[in-house]
Amino acid sequence: FTGTTKSNIVEVQTYKIILESLFKKEILIDVLENVSLKTFETKAMQYIVTYLWQQLLPYYFLQSLLYIIAVFCFTFGHFCELFEPTSVWYSMYKYFLFAAGLFIIIFVIVECRHLLRRGLKKHFKSGWNRYEVLTYISALSSVATKVMYPMPHQEILDASALILLWIGIFNKIRGFDQFSVLITTFTQILYDIRYFMIMLSVLICAFAMAFKLLVRGKGLFDNFIAFESVYNLMFGLTELEFFVEYDDNAISIAARVFVAFFLFLVVIVMFNMLIAIMADSFDNVQENLKIQSFRAKARVCADLLIDFSKSHGLFKQQYLHICTVKDDAGENAIMSNQSQWEGRLKAVKREIKEVEKRLEKRISGLDKKMSGLDKKISGLDKKMSDKISGLESKIDQLLERMIKK
């Protein structure tokens, strides 16, 4: 089919996707949450996710907006409480905290409904769901204790809840194209360095106890301060003069040797290993930039679909009709809505493929020219053989005449 827009001619193609067996609530949610990354490379899956995202975007935007308002009320309420009790701002802090508590209760109700409909095991399989439960519990505890019965060291709970709430914004905006790949990269890096953090903790514990034994738990290595001192040693914040000025010369030398060995293992080896792991995680996500974006949208759609009843019109769709431009590059650009920022490996692979195509075209052209030359040479061979055979026949005739004479 060819459509015309003024003087421009655009060639398009249509698709028809059968949704009857897929668009059942349990099946659809399970597919969106659990299918492999390879599945999102298919056009059918990309069109389905795009359709669902367009239908669910208003609900997702409203949910994100309510969460941001709750974070603002919680933050501003604690900020107003810092003023003098006689000021106007101080008198307003309870109202903001009450508003934040109401918004958080709404999210708690939604979370409980998800928990009942999805089941305990499936719900807590997602790290974001576990994080949300922790955030809501800490935020509600902070509001309740702050307003009704402040605890000793209440500030610790308030500050912790504030950090969790702000980081929770990542979960509410991870479906948008501008943030989906960045947040996926962030979470992938945290996931990939989990074993690295265990190794680093082992080294810190080992050297903390070693230094504690050397100096008999004095000064910088008294009680649990030893772990803090070794951690600060990685960043050069621990004073090395403590080891130099120690009374026992042999212990001082041993301590300095341990410091040098620790800095070599952690600062040179472990930190470079960390940089390599993070770079590899970044490349793994960026290599599949468009696919990761579809996957993030699919998981957000799965979370939103839980709130819909089975009789909702969205689950009654039987077919999905798509009309798009025929050019693959243009179609991908429309589908992904991505900028030119792509992974280095993918860009290199694309360039290699383009070079291969150009080389194949040149080689095919050379092959055609060579085949043409072969035809010309074979034609010349035939002509030469015909001429030689003609000359030979003429020579034979002359010889026969001479013999007869």
Side-chain angles (χ1 to χ4, degrees):
F1 176 79
T2 303
T4 59
T5 306
K6 294 183 179 179
S7 60
N8 297 324
I9 299 175
V10 180
E11 191 173 4
V12 298
Q13 58 187 358
T14 59
Y15 299 96
K16 180 181 178 182
I17 302 174
I18 301 174
L19 306 175
E20 187 175 1
S21 59
L22 178 63
F23 266 48
K24 294 178 180 178
K25 184 175 179 180
E26 293 80 6
I27 297 174
L28 182 58
I29 292 174
D30 187 61
V31 168
L32 293 174
E33 287 182 333
N34 300 318
V35 293
S36 64
L37 196 64
K38 197 75 175 176
T39 308
F40 290 99
E41 295 181 3
T42 60
K43 286 185 178 181
M45 193 65 186
Q46 292 177 8
Y47 284 127
I48 290 172
V49 172
T50 303
Y51 169 73
L52 290 173
W53 177 250
Q54 291 173 353
Q55 298 297 317
L56 299 173
L57 183 59
Y59 302 98
Y60 184 62
F61 183 79
L62 178 62
Q63 186 184 91
S64 303
L65 183 62
L66 288 176
Y67 186 85
I68 291 173
I69 293 174
V71 173
F72 170 77
C73 292
F74 187 86
T75 305
F76 199 72
H78 284 290
F79 176 75
C80 291
E81 193 267 338
L82 298 175
F83 286 87
E84 294 293 331
T86 56
S87 65
V88 177
W89 293 105
Y90 183 85
S91 62
M92 296 172 61
Y93 89 91
K94 287 187 178 181
Y95 299 105
F96 281 104
L97 289 181
F98 272 125
L102 290 175
F103 283 118
I104 294 170
I105 288 173
I106 294 173
F107 284 105
V108 169
I109 294 172
V110 173
E111 196 74 18
C112 291
R113 186 167 60 180
H114 289 186
L115 185 62
L116 291 173
R117 293 183 177 182
R118 185 180 277 160
L120 187 66
K121 186 176 180 181
K122 286 185 178 180
H123 186 75
F124 286 108
K125 185 179 178 181
S126 171
W128 283 117
N129 291 337
R130 295 194 294 268
Y131 183 87
E132 282 185 338
V133 170
L134 177 63
T135 301
Y136 298 151
I137 291 174
S138 61
L140 280 178
S141 301
S142 174
V143 171
T145 54
K146 188 76 173 180
V147 174
M148 293 185 292
Y149 185 74
M151 298 187 304
H153 306 294
Q154 174 73 29
E155 294 80 6
I156 297 175
L157 177 60
D158 297 339
S160 301
L162 189 66
I163 292 172
L164 291 173
L165 275 173
W166 276 93
I167 296 177
I169 294 177
F170 291 167
N171 183 35
K172 301 303 179 182
I173 62 175
R174 61 191 170 103
F176 297 109
D177 291 328
Q178 296 84 351
F179 302 102
S180 60
V181 178
L182 288 174
I183 295 173
T184 302
T185 306
F186 176 74
T187 54
Q188 185 65 42
I189 288 174
L190 292 179
Y191 180 79
D192 290 341
I193 65 173
R194 62 193 188 282
Y195 296 117
F196 171 86
M197 296 305 298
I198 294 174
M199 293 175 60
L200 183 61
S201 301
V202 169
L203 287 175
I204 291 175
C205 290
F207 280 91
M209 292 305 300
F211 286 128
K212 193 174 182 66
L213 291 175
L214 278 176
V215 300
R216 311 305 296 176
K218 296 179 180 179
L220 295 174
F221 298 95
D222 185 23
N223 296 328
F224 287 99
I225 300 176
F227 296 98
E228 181 184 354
S229 299
V230 173
Y231 178 80
N232 291 333
L233 187 61
M234 295 189 298
F235 306 102
L237 301 177
T238 300
E239 298 179 0
L240 298 180
E241 289 79 4
F242 176 81
F243 303 107
V244 178
E245 297 173 356
Y246 197 72
D247 297 334
D248 194 323
N249 189 41
I251 292 179
S252 177
I253 294 172
R256 280 180 282 176
V257 171
F258 286 178
V259 168
F261 187 49
F262 175 78
L263 294 176
F264 171 77
L265 286 179
V266 175
V267 178
I268 298 177
V269 178
M270 295 293 290
F271 278 7
N272 280 283
M273 186 189 301
L274 177 62
I275 293 170
I277 293 171
M278 295 172 71
D280 185 61
S281 301
F282 180 83
D283 286 338
N284 286 337
V285 174
Q286 297 299 309
E287 186 179 1
N288 300 292
L289 186 64
K290 184 181 72 172
I291 309 303
Q292 291 287 358
S293 177
F294 281 113
R295 191 182 199 178
K297 288 180 180 178
R299 291 181 173 177
V300 171
C301 290
D303 288 337
L304 294 172
L305 287 172
I306 296 176
D307 296 324
F308 289 71
S309 64
K310 294 181 180 180
S311 60
H312 193 273
L314 194 62
F315 300 113
K316 296 180 180 180
Q317 299 291 331
Q318 295 183 349
Y319 302 99
L320 185 62
H321 298 274
I322 302 102
C323 180
T324 183
V325 293
K326 193 171 184 180
D327 178 46
D328 289 338
E331 183 181 355
N332 291 334
I334 292 172
M335 287 291 296
S336 61
N337 194 26
Q338 296 288 340
S339 64
Q340 297 298 321
W341 179 45
E342 296 184 4
R344 289 170 286 171
L345 292 177
K346 192 143 191 172
V348 170
K349 289 179 180 178
R350 187 179 63 251
E351 291 294 331
I352 291 172
K353 287 181 180 178
E354 291 177 358
V355 170
E356 286 179 351
K357 289 180 181 179
R358 290 198 294 267
L359 287 175
E360 287 176 358
K361 288 181 180 179
R362 290 183 181 179
I363 291 170
S364 62
L366 290 174
D367 289 337
K368 290 179 181 178
K369 290 180 180 179
M370 291 295 292
S371 62
L373 289 174
D374 289 337
K375 290 179 180 179
K376 289 180 180 179
I377 291 170
S378 62
L380 290 174
D381 288 338
K382 288 180 180 180
K383 289 180 180 179
M384 290 295 293
S385 60
D386 292 339
K387 288 181 178 180
I388 291 171
S389 61
L391 288 173
E392 287 177 348
S393 62
K394 288 180 180 180
I395 291 169
D396 291 337
Q397 291 175 2
L398 289 173
L399 289 173
E400 288 178 358
R401 289 177 185 179
M402 289 176 66
I403 292 169
K404 288 178 179 179
K405 291 179 178 181

